[in-house]
Structure formats: C-alpha cells, structure tokens
Amino acid sequence: EGEEEEEEEEEGGEAVQDLPSELEALEWAGVGLSREDGFRLFLSMKKLAQKVPVAGLRFWGKILGTRRDYLVLEGEMRDEEDAEAEEGKEQVEGKGGANKFSYWVCNSVGQGWTRLPHVTPSQVVAARKLRRFVTGDLDAPVPGHPPFPGVERNLLRAQIARITAGTLLAPEGLFQVPDADEAPYAIEPAEEPPEREQSELRELGSWVHFHPELNSLGRVLPLVELGEDGEPVEDENAPEQLPALRSVEEDAEGSWSVQTFPTAGGDDPNALIALRSQQWPGAVTVAFGKRFANLYVGYGLKTSDVPYTPQPPGMVQEEFNDPEFKEQEDVREDPDAGKE
C-alpha cells in the first residue's frame, strides 16, 4: 500500500509545478508570494489537479484589482479537442491557437477555483483599445468605448492571453517544432537541448517566446474563409504569420531588462538571471541552475508612451437623400373640425 501511495504522488506531482522552489528563486527578483501563502497555494493546486484532467498546472501569477485581486493558474486540458469552434458569428481558436492553455482564478488562497472561458478574437481586439483596472468580481460589467463583448471574466481572460503571448519565455534550444508545415505551433521539448553556460542567458538572443504572437485580428492562426465552391480563399490583406519560438532579440528595443542575482555574482555559474518586461510591468522570467520560471504580478495593463485617449465614436451617417423618394408630407387637421 505504501508503494502504491508513492506512485500516485509521483503521478500527481507531474501535473503540478514545484512551486515552493520556484517561488524561492523568484524571491531574488523581488516578486512572488510569502512562503506560507506559496505553500498553501501549492496544496490548493495539487487538489485541483486531482479533480481536473490537467497537465502542466502552474501558478501563472496575480492580477491586482481595485477591490480584490485574482490569483491565476495555467494548465493544458488533456481531454479537449484541438479544434476551432463557433461562438456566435466568429471562429474561436482551440488548443492550436490562443486557447492552448486553460486558466483558473480565485480571489484568495483557500477559495474554490473558477475556470475562465475561452477567449475570442473580438475580445482580444477590444481589450487592446481599452485601459481598465479589474475589480475582482468576475461578473462585473466592463464599461467603456468601444463596447467590450463580455463581462470582467472575459476581459481578464483576454488580458491574460495578451500577457502570455508577450512575456512567456524559455531558453533558446529547449523546445522545438517537429513539423512546421502541418502544425506550425505544436511545440515539444527538444530531443537534444544544447548545453548552455549561465552567463549566456544574460543575452536576449538566448531566449525565445514560448507562446505564439497574437496578430491584429486577435488570433494566432490565420483566419480561413471559404469561397462559394467551398475552397479556402486566400486573403491578400491577412496579417503576417510569425514563426513559433521567435527570438526575444527581435522585440522592440528596450522591451526587456536583464539582471543578475546576487548582483556581485559576476560569472558565478550558480547566479540567477532575471528578465523583466518593460512592456508589461510585473512580468518576470528567472533562470536558476538548469531550470527557469515565469511569473506575472501586476495590474494587467501594458505600458504606453502616450496618455490613454478613448477611441472617439464613429462619424454620424448622413440622412437618406434620393430624389426618387420623397418624404410624405405631414397631415394637417383642423382641431375645430367637426365641432359646432
């Protein structure tokens, strides 16, 4: 019986990250949770992994709200199909695109976890045009212009998708795309990862984006439209499809800062390397030993060089004016008609 219990713990452990040790490394970079909250969160994650068929469950981070905060977990569901689905009048990407990972949130450690819905392209596009703090209430309305298609849980999921696409990093060479033609974003561990010195991780060229970029349509994969004959129609104005595992070095200048901890570590092979996003303040990636970890703790807002200005409403349409059609003249009646 004791051996069976150990095997079950090992199998369950594969589904959950080693959060205590990663939080200890992230603490050097100045982010994370207290050790007590971190351990309680780790136990809560293991409990969720026993109820839900999820792989690679990890602590994604914390989004700060005006009334309450959100703790966010990320994982990949085992029993869901990798296919697009229709929601309303738009195509929602499956595990091959923006919904590769699923997310669970709660307001504090010890509460039950709520799974967020899949993100839609229109929600990503609308989230880029808004600049709002979350409140901590998943059902709260999202006022503003242009109107957001959903409530706060949808806005939260859209912001998580944007942050993940822009800040989830991995050392170059640890992952590969086996078949770029058939599945351009199917990423798996490399068969022979390169040996890399810790000092090399101070260079941005030694890091890649683990999650594909979201294009101007709010999608990862190109939108395929069918013609009258049922064959795909190529869109000449479609946004450029960026490759998987793109180098961080290709990001805009000044998007990342690199630090070494302890600061006097020099070329110490045991030094910790931390990358901080300047586009999404609060996103940190650390490399320690042969491991690395990503974490976000912030307000879910992207840095902007210009003051936020709401999008103005559209132009007022002109009144219908066609000489062939004339507006009926008003019928005038004498109010005293019929009276004696």
Side-chain angles (χ1 to χ4, degrees):
E1 294 180 358
E3 293 181 357
E4 291 180 359
E5 291 179 358
E6 290 180 2
E7 289 179 0
E8 289 178 1
E9 288 180 1
E10 290 179 1
E11 291 178 1
E14 293 177 359
V16 181
Q17 74 178 130
D18 184 6
L19 184 61
S21 64
E22 293 189 6
L23 286 178
E24 185 176 351
L26 287 160
E27 187 177 354
W28 281 92
V31 294
L33 303 173
S34 67
R35 297 192 176 184
E36 179 181 352
D37 285 345
F39 186 71
R40 292 175 59 200
L41 178 61
F42 176 60
L43 296 179
S44 181
M45 291 169 60
K46 294 189 70 174
K47 186 176 180 180
L48 177 65
Q50 293 174 354
K51 297 179 180 179
V52 179
V54 61
L57 188 66
R58 75 178 186 96
F59 178 44
W60 181 91
K62 184 177 183 178
I63 292 187
L64 308 177
T66 56
R67 296 200 294 265
R68 290 177 293 181
D69 305 330
Y70 288 113
L71 298 172
V72 185
L73 300 184
E74 175 190 87
E76 188 171 354
M77 297 295 292
R78 295 194 184 101
D79 59 351
E80 288 189 352
E81 297 181 359
D82 183 13
E84 294 197 2
E86 288 191 9
E87 183 170 318
K89 296 182 180 180
E90 64 178 335
Q91 293 287 333
V92 179
E93 291 184 302
K95 295 173 67 175
N99 292 301
K100 174 180 176 61
F101 300 110
S102 296
Y103 296 89
W104 293 262
V105 298
C106 70
N107 295 120
S108 61
V109 180
Q111 287 186 348
W113 294 98
T114 300
R115 185 181 176 185
L116 296 178
H118 282 344
V119 67
T120 66
S122 61
Q123 291 167 355
V124 174
V125 173
R128 288 171 174 160
K129 300 175 182 178
L130 294 175
R131 191 171 180 84
R132 296 194 59 84
F133 293 105
V134 294
T135 65
D137 179 5
L138 290 175
D139 296 319
V142 183
H145 181 79
F148 183 80
V151 294
E152 185 164 294
R153 69 178 70 230
N154 304 107
L155 176 63
L156 180 64
R157 178 64 183 88
Q159 293 298 75
I160 289 174
R162 296 177 64 205
I163 296 170
T164 302
T167 66
L168 189 61
L169 307 183
E172 191 272 333
L174 286 186
F175 298 92
Q176 64 180 5
V177 180
D179 192 344
D181 295 329
E182 294 294 331
Y185 297 114
I187 300 172
E188 63 180 35
E191 297 179 357
E192 298 181 0
E195 293 291 336
R196 192 182 299 277
E197 298 291 336
Q198 193 75 352
S199 59
E200 296 181 40
L201 295 177
R202 299 193 184 105
E203 303 295 330
L204 294 181
S206 298
W207 294 87
V208 296
H209 287 275
F210 183 77
H211 195 282
E213 179 66 26
L214 296 173
N215 61 28
S216 59
L217 302 178
R219 298 174 53 89
V220 170
L221 300 172
L223 181 61
V224 179
E225 297 185 0
L226 301 179
E228 296 180 356
D229 56 355
E231 296 295 328
V233 178
E234 184 177 354
D235 184 3
E236 298 179 354
N237 299 320
E240 179 184 1
Q241 186 175 0
L242 298 177
L245 301 176
R246 65 194 187 283
S247 175
V248 174
E249 200 170 25
E250 298 176 4
D251 290 357
E253 185 177 356
S255 296
W256 296 90
S257 63
V258 184
Q259 291 178 287
T260 304
F261 298 95
T263 54
D267 294 329
D268 185 354
N270 296 319
L272 183 145
I273 311 298
L275 283 77
R276 297 180 183 274
S277 174
Q278 304 302 310
Q279 295 291 324
W280 292 96
V284 179
T285 300
V286 296
F288 52 104
K290 295 184 178 180
R291 301 172 60 189
F292 68 96
N294 292 273
L295 186 68
Y296 177 84
V297 179
Y299 289 96
L301 299 178
K302 190 175 183 179
T303 300
S304 177
D305 297 332
V306 296
Y308 171 69
T309 303
Q311 181 179 343
M315 297 294 293
V316 178
Q317 295 183 354
E318 296 182 358
E319 292 190 10
F320 180 77
N321 184 16
D322 191 331
E324 296 183 2
F325 296 92
K326 293 183 179 181
E327 186 176 359
Q328 182 179 356
E329 296 183 0
D330 294 336
V331 179
R332 299 180 180 180
E333 294 184 0
D334 185 359
D336 296 328
K339 294 182 179 180
E340 293 182 358

